[in-house]
């Protein structure tokens, strides 16, 4: 799943099988992983959910993210690599997608925020990706979204947060088909029926994040690429909702020039014309020709962030990832990610060294287009350290530029974390009234981002404990 997405200090990594597309919990999680909304400049809706005194859950208004600003040559290469290979490395022989109108249905005990989030996502897919997709209230559908307890998902895929599987509609059906070619993506020749399995007992943001990634992969790309800074199709898992890049990839998937059964070469031949038509500005951007990410680097990251790794293995993995990034000459988000991983690994034993790596990560992200959200996550770590040192002014300067970024990217966990950090910084600056207003503003977003009341209150205590005036 997402590198910057977990709400704890544990970084879990799962390997996707070729028979399913699972949303994994690979997260470069932060000591503070909530998000903080700004107190102005954004529009939100509220949903009342029974609680014991906290403000109601807040929901984001519809956002329309900008499209990617890069060359069509690069976009064509990204499309091919996303569409003709599974994350396991297995090549897919032909292109597959749905043909004709696509229907979606929800079964199971859906949490209250799932339907509003699904309605917004389907609307975006219709308007931005130009896909003919609709939700059905009942009856069979092309894509069946199963809302089930997390433990049921873990029984079949122990490390997956959620997943999608072809040629099935229910979890029982998947259990029976999982060892057969029937549920294998590599043997698929057209998409007609798929099932998505989402947990119904996690935070609203966790449910929505799974919904976006798994529905996108039901419709289109089955691979993830670390080199993509602005996409959910990336194992760093920074983005929580479909981006402009993702919508462009999905629109390309359903271009009339493409059809089921096309080979890699046939799709590659059609892409220049498709991208010229739907993304004409891409013909005038300079190509970057980003290098592929070697398997050794991916394995090093998994070792560095994996829950099964010992502390020695984690440090060795982070160091190896950083060495490979340097030897590859990377100066993009992958170099930044390696520094971030190293910072997370050494943070407990050597906070000063961790801050150096966070700063280096921020420098590389700053130099890489499309990484505003990544920088917001790094800012939470740098700001947390500033607060722990009693430097409220620095923490305010670090968090201020990223409130709007978290809002535009609809990341409530990150938004509430930023706001809570700002509240502590304001207390340090002897501005208690402002601190209390910002803290209160964070709570509705925290309820969407972290879920249960106890989790919200735990996050409040965690961030407050950074403040030396309260320690």
């Amino acid at each position: 799943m997402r590198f910057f997405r977990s709400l704890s200090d544990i970084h879990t990594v799962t390997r996707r099988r070729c028979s399913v597309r699972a949303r994994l919990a690979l997260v470069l999680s932060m000591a503070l992983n909530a998000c903080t909304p700004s107190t102005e400049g954004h529009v939100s809706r509220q949903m009342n959910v029974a609680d014991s005194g906290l403000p109601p859950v807040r929901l984001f208004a519809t956002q329309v993210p900008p499209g990617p600003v890069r060359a069509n040559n690069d976009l064509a290469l990204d499309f091919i690599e996303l569409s003709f290979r599974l994350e396991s490395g297995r090549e897919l022989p032909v292109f597959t997608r749905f043909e004709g109108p696509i229907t979606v249905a929800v079964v199971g005990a859906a949490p209250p925020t799932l339907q509003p989030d699904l309605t917004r996502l389907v609307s975006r897919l219709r308007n931005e990706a130009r896909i003919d997709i609709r939700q059905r209230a009942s009856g069979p559908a092309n894509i069946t979204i199963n809302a089930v307890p997390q433990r049921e998902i873990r029984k079949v895929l122990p490390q997956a947060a959620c997943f999608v599987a072809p040629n099935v509609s229910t979890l029982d059906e998947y259990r029976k088909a999982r060892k057969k070619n029937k549920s294998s993506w590599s043997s698929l020749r057209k998409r007609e029926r798929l099932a998505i399995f989402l947990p119904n007992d996690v935070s609203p943001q966790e449910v929505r994040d799974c919904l976006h990634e798994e529905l996108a992969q039901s419709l289109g790309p089955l691979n993830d690429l670390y080199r993509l800074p602005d996409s959910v199709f990336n194992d760093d898992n920074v983005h929580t909702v479909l981006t402009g890049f993702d919508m462009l990839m999905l629109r390309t998937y359903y271009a009339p020039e493409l059809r089921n059964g096309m080979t890699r070469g046939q799709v590659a031949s059609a892409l220049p014309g498709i991208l010229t038509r739907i993304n004409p500005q891409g013909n005038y951007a300079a190509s970057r020709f980003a290098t592929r990410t070697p398997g050794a680097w991916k394995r090093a990251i998994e070792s560095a962030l994996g829950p099964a790794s010992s502390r020695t293995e984690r440090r060795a993995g982070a160091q190896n990832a950083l060495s490979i990034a340097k030897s590859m000459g990377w100066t993009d988000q992958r170099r930044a990610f390696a520094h971030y991983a190293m910072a997370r690994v050494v943070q407990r034993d050597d906070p000063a060294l961790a801050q150096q790596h966070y700063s280096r990560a921020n420098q590389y992200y700053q130099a890489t287009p499309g990484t505003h959200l990544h920088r917001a996550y790094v800012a939470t770590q740098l700001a947390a350290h500033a607060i722990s040192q009693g430097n409220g002014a620095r923490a305010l300067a670090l968090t201020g530029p990223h409130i709007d970024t978290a809002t535009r990217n609809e990341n409530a966990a990150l938004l509430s974390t930023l706001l809570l950090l700002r509240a502590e910084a304001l207390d340090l600056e002897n501005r208690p009234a402002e601190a209390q207003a910002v803290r209160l503003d964070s709570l509705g977003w925290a309820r969407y981002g972290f879920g249960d009341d106890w989790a919200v209150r735990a996050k409040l205590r965690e961030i407050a404990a950074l403040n030396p005036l309260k320690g």
Side-chain angles (χ1 to χ4, degrees):
M1 310 221 89
R2 305 190 170 245
F3 134 38
F4 282 121
R5 174 169 173 268
S6 160
L7 306 184
S8 73
D9 286 338
I10 301 300
H11 314 296
T12 54
V13 180
T14 63
R15 294 170 177 79
R16 293 180 171 95
R17 285 118 167 138
C18 63
S19 60
V20 297
R21 271 310 263 119
R23 181 160 216 213
L24 314 175
L26 171 55
V27 208
L28 245 161
S29 86
M30 336 224 102
L32 332 141
N33 235 3
C35 38
T36 34
S38 71
T39 54
E40 59 184 3
H42 67 272
V43 180
S44 66
R45 295 178 290 124
Q46 295 185 341
M47 169 170 287
N48 288 300
V49 176
D51 87 307
S52 57
L54 293 174
V57 175
R58 298 186 71 173
L59 299 179
F60 292 98
T62 300
Q63 308 275 340
V64 180
V69 183
R70 53 181 177 272
N72 282 343
N73 281 342
D74 291 334
L75 293 172
L77 179 59
D78 294 339
F79 186 90
I80 290 294
E81 292 199 31
L82 286 169
S83 305
F84 281 90
R85 181 176 296 173
L86 297 172
E87 192 183 356
S88 64
R90 178 177 296 189
E91 298 285 340
L92 294 172
V94 295
F95 175 82
T96 64
R97 71 177 187 190
F98 287 100
E99 297 291 351
I102 303 166
T103 55
V104 179
V106 178
V107 299
T113 54
L114 176 57
Q115 185 56 60
D117 283 336
L118 177 59
T119 298
R120 293 177 60 223
L121 178 54
V122 168
S123 177
R124 285 192 60 199
L125 289 168
R126 291 179 61 83
N127 295 328
E128 297 175 47
R130 313 290 176 87
I131 296 174
D132 187 0
I133 182 171
R134 291 177 175 80
Q135 184 178 353
R136 298 190 63 173
S138 61
N142 298 115
I143 302 172
T144 303
I145 299 171
N146 292 255
V148 299
Q150 190 174 47
R151 67 177 181 276
E152 296 301 317
I153 293 174
R154 296 289 170 84
K155 284 180 182 178
V156 292
L157 292 177
Q159 296 185 52
C162 44
F163 69 96
V164 58
N167 296 324
V168 299
S169 297
T170 67
L171 201 53
D172 285 341
E173 196 176 1
Y174 172 69
R175 288 190 186 100
K176 297 173 183 177
R178 64 185 302 191
K179 295 181 180 180
K180 303 176 182 178
N181 283 339
K182 178 182 177 183
S183 62
S184 171
W185 288 106
S186 58
S187 63
L188 204 64
R189 294 300 178 266
K190 59 182 177 180
R191 303 188 198 186
E192 297 178 301
R193 187 166 63 101
L194 293 97
I196 294 172
F197 302 98
L198 305 180
N200 59 10
D201 51 1
V202 296
S203 73
Q205 180 163 318
E206 181 83 4
V207 176
R208 182 209 61 190
D209 295 356
C210 280
L211 175 67
H212 274 245
E213 184 168 332
E214 303 306 340
L215 187 53
Q217 290 169 340
S218 298
L219 297 167
L222 299 170
N223 193 12
D224 284 339
L225 298 174
Y226 271 109
R227 71 166 183 261
L228 302 177
D230 54 351
S231 175
V232 302
F233 301 115
N234 187 327
D235 269 334
D236 70 9
N237 294 320
V238 172
H239 288 277
T240 58
V241 298
L242 294 180
T243 67
F245 171 90
D246 300 327
M247 288 297 181
L248 181 62
M249 291 293 102
L250 289 170
R251 186 176 175 186
T252 304
Y253 239 83
Y254 287 85
E257 294 92 333
L258 301 183
R259 64 186 182 277
N260 278 311
M262 293 181 74
T263 65
R264 182 186 184 108
Q266 289 172 325
V267 171
S269 296
L271 285 175
I274 295 172
L275 291 171
T276 293
R277 175 169 56 80
I278 67 176
N279 188 51
Q281 65 272 24
N283 285 335
Y284 304 100
S287 297
R288 294 178 59 234
F289 301 110
T291 59
R292 288 182 173 176
T293 305
W297 188 83
K298 297 178 184 179
R299 291 189 293 273
I301 288 293
E302 290 179 358
S303 179
L305 305 183
S309 301
S310 67
R311 295 180 70 180
T312 300
E313 290 170 336
R314 292 183 67 203
R315 182 148 189 165
Q319 186 59 62
N320 192 26
L322 194 53
S323 296
I324 293 172
K326 291 177 180 178
S327 67
M328 293 291 292
W330 290 339
T331 58
D332 60 11
Q333 73 279 354
R334 291 171 292 184
R335 176 69 176 272
F337 193 7
H339 281 287
Y340 195 99
M342 178 59 78
R344 293 298 298 147
V345 168
V346 304
Q347 182 160 302
R348 178 181 299 177
D349 298 327
D350 195 339
L353 179 60
Q355 288 299 303
Q356 293 177 25
H357 281 289
Y358 285 133
S359 296
R360 290 289 284 165
N362 186 56
Q363 291 171 10
Y364 283 110
Y365 281 133
Q366 188 172 12
T368 304
T371 59
H372 297 292
L373 190 57
H374 304 68
R375 293 188 63 207
Y377 275 104
V378 175
T380 66
Q381 295 289 3
L382 296 173
H385 180 73
I387 290 169
S388 72
Q389 300 300 304
N391 193 339
R394 174 164 168 75
L396 289 172
L398 284 165
T399 56
H402 302 294
I403 300 296
D404 184 59
T405 295
T407 303
R408 283 187 288 102
N409 287 276
E410 302 184 35
N411 191 323
L414 176 60
L415 181 55
S416 61
T417 297
L418 288 167
L419 291 178
L420 289 171
L421 288 167
R422 288 184 67 78
E424 296 306 321
L426 288 165
D427 275 335
L428 285 171
E429 292 297 294
N430 196 27
R431 295 157 63 181
E434 292 175 74
Q436 185 57 24
V438 171
R439 191 174 288 111
L440 180 63
D441 193 25
S442 75
L443 296 180
W445 300 111
R447 294 198 63 212
Y448 185 89
F450 298 110
D452 292 335
D453 290 1
W454 67 263
V456 173
R457 293 191 169 100
K459 185 56 60 175
L460 279 165
R461 291 192 298 270
E462 178 186 354
I463 295 180
L466 295 168
N467 190 333
L469 299 180
K470 302 176 181 178

